[in-house]
Each structure stands twice: as C-alpha cells, then as structure tokens.
Amino acid sequence: MLSLRVFSVAAFAVAAVATVVDAGKVICYYDGWSYHREGVAKTSNITEAATLCDQLYYGFYKINSDYELETSYKYPYVKGANIATANNMKAINPNLKVLLVVGGNVPNKKSDRALSVVETPEKRTTFINSVHKTIMDYNYDGVDLGWQWPESFREEDKPIMETGFISSVKGLFGLVKEKFREEQSVYREGFSALVRELKAVLKPDNKILSISALPHVNTTAYFDLANLKEMTDQFVLHTYDYRTPQYFPKLADYSAPLHFKNASRRHPSDNVEATVAQWLSAGVPSEKLIMSIPTFGRAWEVFPSSEELDIGRAIESLSHPPCQAQSAAEAGTYTKTKGLVTYYEVCPHLVNYSPNQAASSDSPAASNVSHTTLLHRVTDAEKRLGSYCFRVPGLEKGVWISYEEPETAAVKAAFAKLKKLGGVAVVDLSLDDFRGMCTGSAFPILKAVKQGIA
C-alpha cells in the first residue's frame, strides 16, 4: 500500500525548491567497506579528516529485492563500527553534513534493481520510504543517488575494448538492458518522478538531495536536467576514469586529465573541463556542480616480457602516452584490485625521471630503468593532463600508471574555484594516504584540495 505522504506528493506533482548550498565546499567520500580491508588498507581511524570535509558521503548502500535499502547487518557498511566512525567525525566537526550514498561507482551485480525502482509509483514509494527511514534512524543529513545506469561508449571506442568486457556488460544488466534501450524515455521520466517525490519527502526535514553522474554514462539520455536542476541540491560529476584498463586494456593513457590535448589521439570530451562545460551548457547552475578528484590511479601492464626488449624504445613509448598496453596491471599490495592503485601504494616507489635521460638502451639511465622496482615519475609542466609513472620490465613486470597526487589535485581544485563551482568531491578517503605513509602527514591529497579551493 502506498505511503500517504509519498502518494500525495506523486498525485499533486509538487516540485520542491532546492536547498541553498554554499559554494566552495569539500565533499569527502568514505567507502564503508574499507573498514574491513586487511593490514595497512584498513581504515580504522579517519577522524583527522573531519575538519577538512564539509560533507561526508557514506556508502555504498544497495537496493534489495523488495526495492528497499539493504540494511542487513551482514553488510559491512551498516555495522556499528562504520556508523560510529561517521558519527565521531560529526562530533569533531558539528558543521559536517553526512549523506548516505545509494549505488555509487562500485561493482554491483544487482544494479538493474535501480532501473526497476523507477518503473512504477509503487516501487518508488517503497524505495523512498526506506531511504527516509534510514536517514532518520541513522541521523543522516541527506542522500546521494549514484544510479548505475547502463554504461555507454562511442562507436570509435568499441574496437579498443575486449570482447569479454562487452559480454560481461551484457551479463551485468541482463535482459533489462535491452528493454532499457527500447524504453529509455520511460526510465528518464521515472527517474525524474523519483527525484521529485523524494525531494518533497526530504524537504520538511531540511535534508539534502544529491545526484551523482558516474563515469561512462550518457547523462543526457538518462537525466532530464531541465527538471532535475530545479529539484536537486547538488550534482556530483565523477570526473575520472575516462581511460581505465577495464574498458581500454590495450591503451594506457591519462585516466582523469583536466584539459584536452592531442586531438589526433584523444577524444575532446574525455577530460574534466569538457564534462564541466557540458553541464554548464545544459543550464545547471555552477554552484550546484561538484567536481570529483580521485585519490587513486589506474594501472596497465606493458610489454609482455623483458627478453630482447629494446629499453630505449620502450622508454620512448612509455614517455608519450597514450601507449600500447597488455592488460590491467596486477592487484596492488594493499587494495588487491587489478588495475587500481592508491596514492600510498604508488608514492614510496616514485623517483623523478626525465624521458630525455635515456635516449637508447646503451645509456646508464636506461640500464637502471630496466633493472629496478622503482616507478619513474613524469610530471606535467603545462598542468593540463596530470602526472604518470612507469616501469619497464626488469626485476618486475612493466607498468604504466596514471595517478593523482597532491600537486595535481590542488590544480584541479583551483580550476573548480575559477569556474565558481559548488565545490569538489574527494573520492575517496580510504584511498588517500590516510596513515601519512608518503610524507608523514595524513590525507595529503585531501589537504591539497582543501587548500586549492580555499
């Protein structure tokens, strides 16, 4: 049976006026699952970040088969220790707003439930009542909808991707994906209805409603921005993962470039500036846009073997991305996820390196590069694309890594300030150097972001 509160909202189609949101804020994502990682990666204490964050996005909640939030205690993110961490941060910083995140940019084999939720008023009502109850039970200040819409790719990108990945996407969304293609407008309208009804339920309690635009999603197809921009307090643009080894295993390149460069080898929309411009041109107020900055990097394995490898040519290739790759790099020491590395997994191995050091395999520099476990750091003097590091095969497999570091994060935060955006989102705290392993100071990327947008 429909909740009277939600039904009245749907019947009269009341469009709520968005909450006023201050500009220049810092949003910190916190993955509750990270508390259950092992060893160094276990986020047992992140309260030092409390005074650096204006909002904490806590997740990632899933949707169960009854179209409610999954709050069973068998799921780590709703166990006491995780909720206590968020509440402790709020006690340290009374002005901190904590929002729960539904979905988000994490693997979810049941993401089709998010599509089903918007199909009927009954399903939307059930979901909205569950969200509202969870917010009130755990004293959240709002909710972020990180809807995992079916991902989309340009025609020119498809030959780059492995057939196996295409198959996995089809398996992920199953039959509902084909239906979604045929009835795209139905889901678009259903999501707008969901946001309208949810906002009206949250408004009396002055709760925040946020929407995330995840990577590789055609937001113009799924988001009716003309309506959503009036009903939504803020939009988080997940401006990263333009290139990843999951989607582009044979092409290593900058994962989250700030600006566009090299028209012959890159698509002009695959950068932060282009994404922000797209949303601004759609009429979304700049103060409602939050630009994401990742605390992680993407890593590719390069060159299958060091046998008879021309070191000089290898260095030349790796020094001028995009470059040929083999696959996703092996899992990191602590995070244990193929193709992903945290800043604290990268920083201990970095050494500054100029590609001009090694012109041939006969040079001492080239010889040192080929027989080391270090990662050779190459910075971007133009501050357009970001930093990367590489290792040619030697004692260990060759890798090429696009990663975020404090210097590049500060530049991006300053860009968000220049564009008068509502703020930046650091994704996420558990992948920043929260133990201070790199410089002795915890959360170096978050601190650089805070300084850059101040």
Side-chain angles (χ1 to χ4, degrees):
M1 182 174 179
L2 293 180
S3 162
L4 291 178
R5 186 177 191 184
V6 176
F7 179 76
S8 63
V9 172
F12 293 99
V14 177
V17 178
T19 303
V20 176
V21 181
D22 295 333
K25 72 175 70 65
V26 175
I27 291 175
C28 301
Y29 275 75
Y30 174 43
D31 183 358
W33 290 81
S34 64
Y35 182 86
H36 298 271
R37 291 179 182 143
E38 298 177 354
V40 170
K42 180 182 177 68
T43 55
S44 57
N45 185 7
I46 61 167
T47 53
E48 185 175 338
T51 57
L52 301 172
C53 306
D54 298 300
Q55 294 181 7
L56 182 73
Y57 276 37
Y58 180 76
F60 295 90
Y61 282 83
K62 307 305 175 191
I63 302 173
N64 65 24
S65 57
D66 295 322
Y67 303 106
E68 298 176 332
L69 290 188
E70 183 58 80
T71 56
S72 167
Y73 277 87
K74 68 180 180 179
Y75 288 88
Y77 51 77
V78 294
K79 288 187 176 179
N82 303 64
I83 298 296
T85 297
N87 288 335
N88 288 341
M89 293 178 70
K90 205 166 184 178
I92 295 172
N93 178 7
N95 295 320
L96 180 69
K97 303 294 185 182
V98 181
L99 282 72
L100 69 88
V101 181
V102 183
N105 193 34
V106 294
N108 181 12
K109 294 181 179 180
K110 297 178 179 178
S111 57
D112 57 301
R113 288 176 182 166
L115 306 183
S116 298
V117 161
V118 304
E119 289 180 334
T120 67
E122 290 80 9
K123 291 177 181 179
R124 294 197 301 268
T125 297
T126 299
F127 173 76
I128 290 170
N129 287 341
S130 174
V131 169
H132 185 253
K133 183 178 186 303
T134 304
I135 286 175
M136 303 311 291
D137 286 350
Y138 291 99
N139 195 30
Y140 284 115
D141 295 291
V143 59
D144 176 67
L145 303 179
W147 236 241
Q148 292 187 329
W149 302 106
E151 296 167 322
S152 57
F153 298 91
R154 300 179 298 267
E155 286 298 322
E156 60 266 34
D157 289 336
K158 290 181 180 179
I160 300 174
M161 298 182 292
E162 291 181 333
T163 304
F165 171 68
I166 299 297
S167 298
S168 68
V169 171
K170 288 183 178 179
L172 180 64
F173 295 105
L175 297 177
V176 72
K177 192 176 66 144
E178 294 301 322
K179 179 181 178 182
F180 190 88
R181 286 174 175 170
E182 297 172 2
E183 303 177 5
Q184 193 173 81
S185 62
V186 173
Y187 287 92
R188 191 169 186 255
E189 293 170 5
F191 186 70
S192 292
L194 174 68
V195 172
R196 180 174 60 250
E197 295 159 9
L198 178 57
K199 178 59 182 177
V201 170
L202 298 179
K203 183 175 170 54
D205 299 312
N206 200 30
K207 302 297 184 179
I208 299 169
L209 176 56
S210 169
I211 293 177
S212 280
L214 301 179
H216 299 290
V217 170
N218 184 355
T219 55
T220 59
Y222 306 143
F223 292 166
D224 181 4
L225 290 180
N227 289 316
L228 293 180
K229 68 183 181 182
E230 302 298 330
M231 302 181 289
T232 307
D233 298 318
Q234 56 197 34
F235 296 88
V236 181
L237 310 183
H238 287 253
T239 44
Y240 54 83
D241 281 358
Y242 294 100
R243 287 289 185 268
T244 73
Q246 179 187 8
Y247 303 133
F248 304 95
K250 304 299 183 183
L251 185 70
D253 199 7
Y254 295 97
S255 181
L258 179 56
H259 300 290
F260 175 60
K261 187 177 180 182
N262 198 339
S264 64
R265 307 180 75 184
R266 296 188 178 95
H267 196 281
S269 65
D270 290 346
N271 58 85
V272 176
E273 183 180 37
T275 301
V276 171
Q278 176 190 347
W279 282 73
L280 290 174
S281 65
V284 180
S286 62
E287 65 271 15
K288 286 191 175 186
L289 294 181
I290 309 297
M291 190 187 90
S292 293
I293 300 175
T295 56
F296 56 88
R298 294 298 184 179
W300 287 259
E301 182 178 331
V302 292
F303 301 112
S305 171
S306 61
E307 296 179 7
E308 300 180 0
L309 180 67
D310 186 325
I311 302 299
R313 289 186 179 181
I315 293 173
E316 177 68 15
S317 172
L318 297 177
S319 300
H320 296 87
C323 52
Q324 184 178 358
Q326 302 299 316
S327 62
E330 292 181 351
T333 306
Y334 304 115
T335 49
K336 297 178 172 51
T337 303
K338 289 192 67 174
L340 180 144
V341 290
T342 65
Y343 180 59
Y344 63 80
E345 288 175 315
V346 172
C347 74
H349 307 287
L350 290 174
V351 292
N352 288 331
Y353 174 74
S354 169
N356 296 326
Q357 281 180 264
S360 73
S361 58
D362 296 328
S363 70
S367 177
N368 290 338
V369 169
S370 64
H371 295 89
T372 185
T373 60
L374 296 177
L375 296 170
H376 294 267
R377 174 177 176 254
V378 181
T379 58
D380 179 13
E382 297 180 1
K383 303 186 185 304
R384 295 186 63 84
L385 300 174
S387 298
Y388 66 88
C389 58
F390 66 87
R391 179 181 64 230
V392 295
L395 297 178
E396 296 188 17
K397 292 181 179 180
V399 295
W400 193 95
I401 303 173
S402 171
Y403 70 100
E404 205 76 47
E405 57 185 352
E407 292 85 348
T408 57
V411 169
K412 288 182 176 179
F415 170 81
K417 181 179 180 180
L418 178 67
K419 291 294 184 179
K420 295 181 171 52
L421 303 187
V424 292
V426 176
V427 186
D428 68 73
L429 295 181
S430 71
L431 301 179
D432 196 354
D433 181 20
F434 59 90
R435 294 181 183 272
M437 297 169 61
C438 297
T439 64
S441 177
F443 298 106
I445 292 179
L446 172 59
K447 289 176 179 176
V449 166
K450 186 74 172 180
Q451 183 177 2
I453 203 169

